[in-house]
Amino acid sequence: AQSVTQLDSHVSVSEGTPVLLRCNYSSSYSPSLFWYVQHPNKGLQLLLKYTSAATLVKGINGFEAEFKKSETSFHLTKPSAHMSDAAEYFCVVSIYGGSQGNLIFGKGTKLSVKP
Amino acid sequence: NAGVTQTPKFRVLKTGQSMTLLCAQDMNHEYMYWYRQDPGMGLRLIHYSVGEGTTAKGEVPDGYNVSRLKKQNFLLGLESAAPSQTSVYFCASSSPAGTSSTGELFFGEGSRLTVL
């Protein structure tokens, strides 16, 4: 069965320090993987997407993620956190190779950034 | 550029009342979706549509109905609201993933529903 697990429900970092948000997936097929960000009282916005091209994917606002098939992971990183990065982040796996009716969302990781 | 617009943004219902949430998109997307978001649960798919006149059940369809009479609109109905349907509802749309599209989902800003 396909699934996605975000390993931390809450991560707190200081401004200017690195960010690591962890995501593991389980899929019988070659997956497409996404990271979305949700700022308070807003909808979700796509940060980046992996679709079997380059394993290191660069997204908006300095975020990137690396697809590691051997570890079934798709962790999100950023070298230096900014206050505006405080939000909730969702890892999403698309099963059946990208059928849009079959997206599975992780339960989210809330990122806090301390000044 | 409006993108995905949801109405209403807030609503309070009594148990047993009915209501309809409207989602409109101006991006000519084929696919549309309704999700609900609850604390600690992430987003769960209620119903979706891959084209005008077609709908399909998602993960949590019970208690909801949908219609896609026009390509740009996707309606979510609650026939008899229950307190368990208190949630934030998100509509999204996308084009099919392919050479000209990443398959990215575009979300509305949400509709907060409280059922007393």
Side-chain angles (χ1 to χ4, degrees):
Chain A
Q2 287 78 10
S3 67
V4 58
T5 303
Q6 292 183 240
L7 297 166
D8 306 291
S9 59
H10 189 212
V11 170
S12 181
V13 301
S14 297
E15 190 174 22
T17 64
V19 176
L20 170 64
L21 306 182
R22 298 181 294 165
C23 173
N24 286 111
Y25 70 92
S26 171
S27 176
S28 302
Y29 304 88
S30 179
S32 293
L33 293 158
F34 308 76
W35 276 98
Y36 282 83
V37 60
Q38 183 182 28
H39 288 94
N41 300 313
K42 296 291 185 182
L44 282 73
Q45 179 186 17
L46 181 70
L47 268 182
L48 49 79
K49 172 179 179 178
Y50 166 77
T51 56
S52 74
T55 57
L56 182 63
V57 183
K58 293 189 184 298
I60 61 173
N61 300 332
F63 284 93
E64 62 183 36
E66 186 172 9
F67 173 72
K68 292 186 176 180
K69 186 175 181 178
S70 61
E71 299 177 9
T72 61
S73 70
F74 190 56
H75 301 336
L76 181 70
T77 60
K78 183 174 181 178
S80 176
H82 190 272
M83 295 297 291
S84 61
D85 295 327
E88 190 157 20
Y89 293 79
F90 293 93
C91 182
V92 182
V93 62
S94 175
I95 60 177
Y96 305 130
S99 171
Q100 291 298 317
N102 294 287
L103 292 170
I104 300 175
F105 281 76
K107 290 184 171 21
T109 298
K110 189 163 290 188
L111 175 65
S112 300
V113 182
K114 297 175 289 186
Chain B
N1 194 356
V4 179
T5 303
Q6 295 180 226
T7 53
K9 288 185 170 46
F10 302 93
R11 184 75 187 268
V12 178
L13 289 177
K14 294 181 180 178
T15 297
Q17 286 185 317
S18 63
M19 75 157 296
T20 300
L21 296 176
L22 171 64
C23 177
Q25 54 97 1
D26 62 3
M27 295 171 282
N28 202 35
H29 286 162
E30 289 292 329
Y31 296 175
M32 296 187 75
Y33 316 78
W34 276 108
Y35 290 89
R36 61 177 290 172
Q37 184 177 30
D38 303 290
M41 301 291 287
L43 269 74
R44 293 181 291 169
L45 182 64
I46 305 171
H47 287 279
Y48 66 100
S49 167
V50 298
E52 182 178 322
T54 70
T55 63
K57 294 180 180 180
E59 180 187 355
V60 289
D62 293 342
Y64 305 95
N65 56 74
V66 289
S67 64
R68 182 97 181 271
L69 299 179
K70 293 183 179 181
K71 185 177 183 179
Q72 64 267 34
N73 295 338
F74 195 31
L75 278 64
L76 177 71
L78 286 71
E79 289 188 349
S80 179
S84 60
Q85 294 177 304
T86 294
S87 187
V88 182
Y89 292 86
F90 285 96
C91 178
S93 70
S94 72
S95 291
T99 55
S100 61
S101 171
T102 63
E104 173 186 353
L105 287 177
F106 291 82
F107 284 84
E109 296 207 338
S111 297
R112 187 175 297 273
L113 175 65
T114 301
V115 182
L116 302 175

